[in-house]
Amino acid sequence: MITIGQLARYVGVSVKAIRVYHDKGLLPEPDRDASGYRRYGARDAIDLVKIRTLAEAGVPLARIRDLRSATDEQFQQALREIDDELTARISALRAAQGRLRQLADLGGQSAALPAEVGAFLEHLTRWGFTPRWVELQRDLWILVFATHPDRAITLFQDQYEALTDPALRQLFLDYDHAYDLDADDLRIDAIARRIAEATRARYGPDEPPGLNGASEIPALIQGAVNVSSPAWHRLDSLIRANLAVTSPDAPATP
C-alpha cells in the first residue's frame, strides 16, 4: 500500500490531478489508514494509468468516467473509436504543420497559396491592377483555399482563363478602377451591363463555377468587397439585377 504522493510519482501525474479524479468520480477514493492517510494499491495504480492515458489522448473526463462501467467489449470498442479520432487529429495536425513550414520557408501571406496562384498575383500587377485589388484577390483566395480546397483550384482556373482573354481582363480592370467612382456615376451602369453580357456569353444558361450551396463563404467574400467601396456595392447590385441572380452563391465580383 502506498501514499497518494508515491502513487502520483509512480504513474506520472500530480497529486492535484488524482484529487480531481476523485472529485469527478473517475477514481474511487481508497480507505484511509489509522493515521488518516489514503492508501493505494496496485489496482488503483492500474486504474490511474488508464485514466492518464485516456486524458492525454484528449478524451473528456465525463467520457472516461462513463467507461468505468463499460464491459470489456464496450471498452475495446471505445478504444478503437478514440484511436480513429487520434488518427484524424494527427493527420490534420501534420497538414497544418506542413502549411506552417511552407509559410516559414517562403515568407509572406501568399505562401499559404499554391505556387500558381502566387504567380497569378504577380501577373495582376503587370497587367495594371491596383495594389488594392491584388491584395484583395490574395486575401480572398487564401480564404477560399483554406475553407474549400476541393473546389478552390477549379474556381481559380476559371478566373485565370478569363484573364487570358484581353476583353474579359479589361472588365476586371474596369471593376478594379471603379472603386473610387461616385456610387451614382453612370459609368458604373455601363460596367455592370458589360459584365452581365460577358457572363451570359461565357457561361450561357449554366451557372458560373461556385462553391457548394450551403457555403457562406461566397456571401462573406462579396460582403467584404462591397463594404470597401460604395461604387463596388452598387456595381454588385446592378450586375445581379442584370443577371437576375438572387443567390449569394454567385458573387458578382469578376
Side-chain angles (χ1 to χ4, degrees):
M1 303 297 288
I2 58 177
T3 66
I4 189 171
Q6 291 171 319
L7 176 65
R9 288 194 297 272
Y10 291 156
V11 178
V13 299
S14 67
V15 170
K16 181 179 179 180
I18 295 176
R19 289 175 176 151
V20 169
Y21 298 152
H22 286 325
D23 292 340
K24 299 292 185 181
L26 280 71
L27 185 67
E29 290 198 42
D31 295 332
R32 295 176 181 267
D33 62 16
S35 301
Y37 292 103
R38 296 185 183 96
R39 293 293 177 176
Y40 298 84
R43 173 49 56 187
D44 298 311
I46 293 171
D47 288 344
L48 186 55
V49 167
K50 290 180 180 179
I51 294 169
R52 183 204 65 189
T53 303
L54 292 170
E56 288 177 346
V59 181
L61 295 185
R63 187 177 181 187
I64 297 175
R65 184 180 60 244
D66 293 341
L67 288 175
R68 281 185 47 79
S69 59
T71 64
D72 287 344
E73 182 178 351
Q74 291 171 334
F75 189 76
Q76 290 300 321
Q77 176 61 31
L79 290 182
R80 287 191 290 270
E81 292 173 359
I82 294 167
D83 184 82
D84 290 342
E85 293 168 6
L86 280 175
T87 299
R89 285 166 52 193
I90 290 170
S91 178
L93 285 171
R94 284 177 174 166
Q97 183 184 53
R99 292 191 295 270
L100 182 64
R101 288 176 175 174
Q102 182 185 38
L103 192 63
D105 290 342
L106 300 180
Q109 297 185 60
S110 296
L113 294 169
E116 58 264 42
V117 182
F120 164 74
L121 295 174
E122 293 179 2
H123 280 307
L124 292 180
T125 300
R126 290 197 292 271
W127 283 330
F129 288 92
T130 63
R132 175 191 57 243
W133 181 270
V134 176
E135 182 178 355
L136 174 65
Q137 290 294 312
R138 182 203 65 204
D139 291 346
L140 297 186
W141 283 120
I142 287 174
L143 180 60
V144 172
F145 273 90
T147 58
H148 293 77
D150 56 327
R151 293 288 299 147
I153 194 65
T154 299
L155 299 180
F156 167 72
Q157 289 172 344
D158 180 72
Q159 186 178 104
Y160 185 81
E161 289 171 5
L163 282 169
T164 61
D165 182 324
L168 293 179
R169 184 164 65 243
Q170 186 59 53
L171 287 179
F172 279 79
L173 285 165
D174 291 344
Y175 200 118
D176 175 16
H177 297 149
Y179 180 91
D180 293 317
L181 294 179
D182 185 87
D184 296 323
D185 195 306
L186 293 179
R187 284 173 288 182
I188 295 177
D189 298 72
I191 295 170
R193 185 169 54 254
R194 288 165 50 217
I195 290 176
E197 291 172 354
T199 301
R200 283 193 292 266
R202 187 167 186 222
Y203 300 107
D206 298 326
E207 290 286 339
L211 303 178
N212 65 67
S215 175
E216 297 180 356
I217 296 301
L220 177 64
I221 290 175
Q222 195 61 50
V225 172
N226 290 346
V227 77
S228 64
S229 163
W232 278 0
H233 186 278
R234 183 163 181 267
L235 187 52
D236 173 40
S237 299
L238 289 173
I239 294 170
R240 291 179 186 277
N242 274 279
L243 292 173
V245 172
T246 58
S247 169
D249 294 329
T253 306

